[in-house]
Amino acid sequence: MSAARPQVRFFMGKGGVGKSTLSALSALYHADRGRRVVLASFDPAHNLGDIFQRKLADRPVSVLENLSVAEIDPEKWSREYLKEAEQQFRAAYAYLTTFSLEKHFKVIRHAPGVESYALMRAFDHLYRDGKADILLLDMPPTALSLSFLALPKLSLLWLGQLHALRVEIQKKQKMINRLRLGRREMERDRVMENINRQTERWRERSAVFSNNAQTRYLLIENPDALSALENTRIEERLKELGYGKPERVVNKAADDQSAFPLAPGLYGLEKMRAYIARHKSVFDALIR
Amino acid sequence: MSLFAGIKKFFKGLDQQHRRKAVEDLEWEMHELQHIFGLLTLGYMVGLPSAPLPVAWELLPDMPQEFAIMLARLNTAQNPLSEQFSRLDVS
Ligand SMILES: Nc1ncnc2c1ncn2[C@@H]1O[C@H](COP(=O)(O)OP(=O)(O)OP(=O)(O)O)[C@@H](O)[C@H]1O
Ligand SMILES: [Mg+2]
């Protein structure tokens, strides 16, 4: 990863704890300190538009000179991905009957993994954009967030297995070639090249997700047991994935120096700036 | 044909037969591995746990052989022993 790659912040937690609000406040906090910020919501039930009181879109919309906000449309990214994959498939397997192709695609459209991969493509896009020093992500409900974050590790696990198996297949092919044709050299193995290419890409993503100096996981909760319990689960899962130490952040607290206090009407630039000014020490401590 | 030439031919034939058999065995083994490869990537088509869909889908255009083997196996699924029998020259 080059030095130009942005810092990444994932805002996660139970429904309604304040992921959108805190990610928006953080975005504004960073932007007002001169950093170039991109904030994107991966939650199909968007409300960043309400918070910034702006009509937003699937691509980053400029809210301030150095702050852009996007409401990613996972459905759209899924559709695009499926279309692309279908085209490649049709090109490679033109000999198959339309019937068996259709049957295949019907299964695929609803297969698990499509949604989280669609988000991964959106993430790649924002990450490589080069327009941000810091990329903030308002994440979807926990299950989808975790399957998104697990995708690099899971893919690498399978690619590792496939690689090992492919090595075995190559060995056999080599022996067959030698016995039958008396030659040792192997033809180009496109499958192996494909495996290596994919492995490289998933390793890059995995490196970003597990780099503590670049990526932080902010688990938002409220002063109630349920939202804390959910974060404990998320924390365990992230640890399993090897993603460093997530940070738990309490929101809607009774006035407190180490948490974000309850305050009415946290939307619109003016009110948000007032909140940031009032609780500057909390922001300075928790929002890096 | 001299005895010597006869023996030589006999051994040569034997060697060729062995080689052919060895190649056949290897090809069968490779075929099996390719089938497993197909199952590990496209197993979701037959309800098996398999690689994440995006990984499988990106591989797909580069693995026509594995894909064909899988389809063929699916088609002979009603008679799963047929391949084994033909392999064992039992048919
Ligand atoms: N510190 C706070 N003080 C008072 N109200 C707050 C605070 N933080 C968030 N809220 C309010 O709580 C509600 C939920 O907040 P928000 O939409 O940010 O949560 P969320 O985690 O993004 O929810 P969802 O899971 O639905 O996306 C909103 O009405 C928001 O204005
Ligand atoms: Mg939200």
Side-chain angles (χ1 to χ4, degrees):
Chain A
M1 284 300 124
S2 81
R5 295 307 190 193
Q7 288 280 310
V8 180
R9 304 288 179 264
F10 291 107
F11 289 79
M12 298 168 69
K14 195 168 154 37
V17 290
K19 299 179 289 295
S20 301
T21 303
L22 280 191
S23 62
L25 285 166
S26 305
L28 188 57
Y29 171 83
H30 287 304
D32 283 346
R33 272 146 195 81
R35 303 177 84 180
R36 295 175 308 155
V37 183
V38 171
L39 165 63
S41 163
F42 277 1
D43 189 346
H46 297 296
N47 52 0
L48 289 180
D50 298 339
I51 293 175
F52 284 99
Q53 310 217 282
R54 280 288 302 267
K55 187 163 166 38
L56 299 173
D58 182 63
R59 305 285 147 149
V61 169
S62 173
V63 167
L64 296 170
E65 196 192 298
N66 56 338
L67 168 60
S68 303
V69 185
E71 290 183 337
I72 297 303
D73 178 357
E75 277 282 325
K76 195 203 100 188
W77 286 82
S78 292
R79 268 197 316 275
E80 278 176 10
Y81 165 56
L82 287 171
K83 208 170 110 193
E84 210 176 279
E86 277 192 29
Q87 273 164 2
Q88 273 166 15
F89 188 91
R90 279 180 207 283
Y93 296 96
Y95 61 85
L96 286 175
T97 62
T98 321
F99 173 72
S100 47
L101 277 180
E102 286 316 316
K103 214 166 68 182
H104 187 83
F105 292 139
K106 227 157 96 192
V107 179
I108 289 302
R109 275 181 208 121
H110 308 284
V114 169
E115 206 181 4
S116 42
Y117 186 59
L119 289 182
M120 194 60 70
R121 286 162 58 104
F123 175 83
D124 287 348
H125 192 84
L126 294 165
Y127 182 78
R128 297 194 185 133
D129 210 16
K131 291 200 188 89
D133 303 317
I134 183 160
L135 175 59
L136 307 175
L137 296 151
D138 178 13
M139 295 297 277
T142 300
L144 178 55
S145 293
L146 289 178
S147 70
F148 164 83
L149 291 169
L151 209 48
K153 290 275 141 93
L154 191 65
S155 300
L156 285 173
L157 198 74
W158 279 91
L159 284 164
Q161 293 300 309
L162 293 174
H163 186 275
L165 187 55
R166 200 69 205 171
V167 168
E168 286 305 306
I169 292 172
Q170 281 188 343
K171 270 188 208 152
K172 301 270 181 231
Q173 183 71 67
K174 219 178 236 166
M175 287 194 273
I176 292 168
N177 285 355
R178 200 170 54 218
L179 280 172
R180 197 163 54 188
L181 311 163
R183 46 185 187 91
R184 272 160 205 279
E185 75 276 14
M186 281 281 293
E187 287 156 36
R188 186 173 165 197
D189 184 352
R190 286 177 196 280
V191 176
M192 189 60 112
E193 288 170 15
N194 188 312
I195 291 172
N196 291 338
R197 197 168 61 233
Q198 290 202 56
T199 301
E200 184 53 36
R201 264 208 329 275
W202 285 110
R203 271 199 191 128
E204 280 176 27
R205 292 172 177 135
S206 177
V208 174
F209 288 3
S210 42
N211 182 355
N212 290 328
Q214 181 184 19
T215 301
R216 291 175 62 201
Y217 299 87
L218 294 128
L219 310 189
I220 317 300
E221 61 196 58
N222 298 150
D224 69 79
L226 283 185
S227 62
L229 226 81
E230 176 129 338
N231 279 349
T232 303
R233 275 211 314 277
I234 298 176
E235 206 169 42
E236 276 164 16
R237 189 78 185 104
L238 292 181
K239 215 171 284 169
E240 272 170 32
L241 290 169
Y243 291 161
K245 195 166 162 31
E247 291 151 73
R248 293 173 67 152
V249 173
V250 177
N251 182 31
K252 304 189 191 179
D255 224 359
D256 189 322
Q257 289 307 299
S258 59
F260 291 98
L262 201 66
L266 271 179
Y267 58 87
L269 290 179
E270 207 178 306
K271 286 182 218 157
M272 289 199 285
R273 280 188 171 128
Y275 183 87
I276 294 170
R278 197 157 56 241
H279 304 290
K280 187 174 172 301
S281 60
V282 182
F283 279 90
D284 288 345
L286 299 180
I287 303 301
R288 279 170 289 124
Chain B
M1 192 195 294
S2 74
L3 180 62
F4 183 68
I7 290 171
K8 216 169 140 187
K9 191 164 171 239
F10 171 75
F11 277 114
K12 203 169 166 213
L14 208 62
D15 178 59
Q16 267 166 1
Q17 180 137 359
H18 270 134
R19 269 175 190 266
R20 211 192 51 205
K21 185 87 175 95
V23 169
E24 271 175 15
D25 284 348
L26 281 167
E27 275 174 346
W28 184 75
E29 283 167 23
M30 190 169 89
H31 205 264
E32 285 303 301
L33 290 176
Q34 284 176 310
H35 184 221
I36 295 171
F37 193 93
L39 286 177
L40 286 181
T41 49
L42 303 168
Y44 64 86
M45 290 169 72
V46 290
L48 289 174
S50 49
L53 203 75
V55 171
W57 262 46
E58 193 167 331
L59 270 166
L60 209 51
D62 283 327
M63 49 181 278
Q65 232 179 324
E66 288 73 11
F67 188 61
I69 291 171
M70 251 199 66
L71 285 188
R73 292 289 175 95
L74 284 181
N75 293 336
T76 53
Q78 283 93 338
N79 189 4
L81 288 182
S82 66
E83 180 139 356
Q84 302 295 326
F85 280 124
S86 71
R87 166 75 201 140
L88 297 167
D89 289 329
V90 179
S91 57

